[in-house]
Amino acid sequence: MNSRRCFSIVAVLALTLALMQGMAGAQAQSPAIGQGPGYHDPRSPFKPLQEREGIVAWQLLSSVTTKAEKNRLVPTFPGSVQALDKQKVKVQGFMLPLEPGDKQRHFLLSSVPTSCSFCVPAGPEGLVEVRSKNPVRYTLEPVVVEGTMAVLSDDPYGMYYRVSDAQQQGN
């Protein structure tokens, strides 16, 4: 092997190691994506959601933990979250459309705004699947919906929460 090629391989390895160390350091300084209510990018033009009276807090929804069972992770919900099952609740969040068009009957609410059209901004503890009675117009601003909450421990799509028969509330 000639010395120029050997130097190139060493340089690439050194650069790769430096990048990996930088990524590990960044992960240690910021919350892990997919754990907790999600990561709100400080460069986002949207303000983080504020907890509001009468609206289920994302901090509560994200208090779920997981445990390994056989070949999958299973959510373990604290009693305060289990108590929301089959209850009428209000949830606020940023819309992630699941249908074409500007009016949505089936969408996700996220605890944080998305910063990429192809990225999910949070893990399942930072998302709520919504099925609404009436179409909700897509917006980049936070929306509030009221409906019946389902706390899901074995959803085939990996969701932890679903609100059915939802209606948009005034923000």
Side-chain angles (χ1 to χ4, degrees), residues 35-50:
Q35 296 177 358
Y39 176 70
H40 190 279
D41 190 331
R43 298 168 296 181
S44 173
F46 303 100
K47 294 179 183 174
L49 293 173
Q50 301 297 312

Side-chain angles (χ1 to χ4, degrees), residues 1-16:
M1 184 181 300
N2 69 31
S3 62
R4 180 177 283 160
R5 184 168 182 214
C6 184
F7 176 76
S8 297
I9 291 171
V10 170
V12 168
L13 289 173
L15 180 59
T16 302

Side-chain angles (χ1 to χ4, degrees), residues 12-169:
V12 168
L13 289 173
L15 180 59
T16 302
L17 180 60
L19 286 172
M20 288 172 59
Q21 288 174 337
M23 288 169 60
Q27 288 174 345
Q29 294 172 358
S30 65
I33 295 175
Q35 296 177 358
Y39 176 70
H40 190 279
D41 190 331
R43 298 168 296 181
S44 173
F46 303 100
K47 294 179 183 174
L49 293 173
Q50 301 297 312
E51 285 193 24
R52 295 170 49 191
E53 185 71 32
I55 296 178
V56 175
W58 284 103
Q59 197 66 32
L60 174 63
L61 295 177
S62 67
S63 65
V64 62
T65 58
T66 55
K67 64 181 177 181
E69 274 187 14
K70 297 183 182 174
N71 60 350
R72 62 190 190 108
L73 290 176
V74 177
T76 303
F77 300 100
S80 54
V81 173
Q82 289 177 357
L84 297 173
D85 193 43
K86 298 181 179 84
Q87 300 299 312
K88 194 168 199 172
V89 299
K90 288 183 184 178
V91 182
Q92 69 174 336
F94 297 92
M95 288 181 77
L96 300 170
L98 295 175
E99 302 173 318
D102 66 336
K103 292 187 178 179
Q104 303 288 309
R105 286 184 184 264
H106 186 209
F107 55 94
L108 299 177
L109 279 184
S110 171
S111 57
V112 293
T114 184
S115 57
C116 165
S117 303
F118 306 100
C119 303
V120 179
E125 67 280 5
L127 299 169
V128 173
E129 180 183 8
V130 177
R131 298 245 180 210
S132 67
K133 288 181 178 180
N134 302 313
V136 177
R137 183 174 300 277
Y138 174 71
T139 177
L140 295 173
E141 298 299 321
V143 297
V144 176
V145 296
E146 182 176 25
T148 304
M149 171 72 83
V151 178
L152 310 167
S153 59
D154 194 21
D155 184 66
Y157 298 106
M159 297 300 299
Y160 291 174
Y161 306 107
R162 181 175 297 120
V163 173
S164 301
D165 297 324
Q167 292 187 327
Q168 185 174 10
Q169 303 294 298

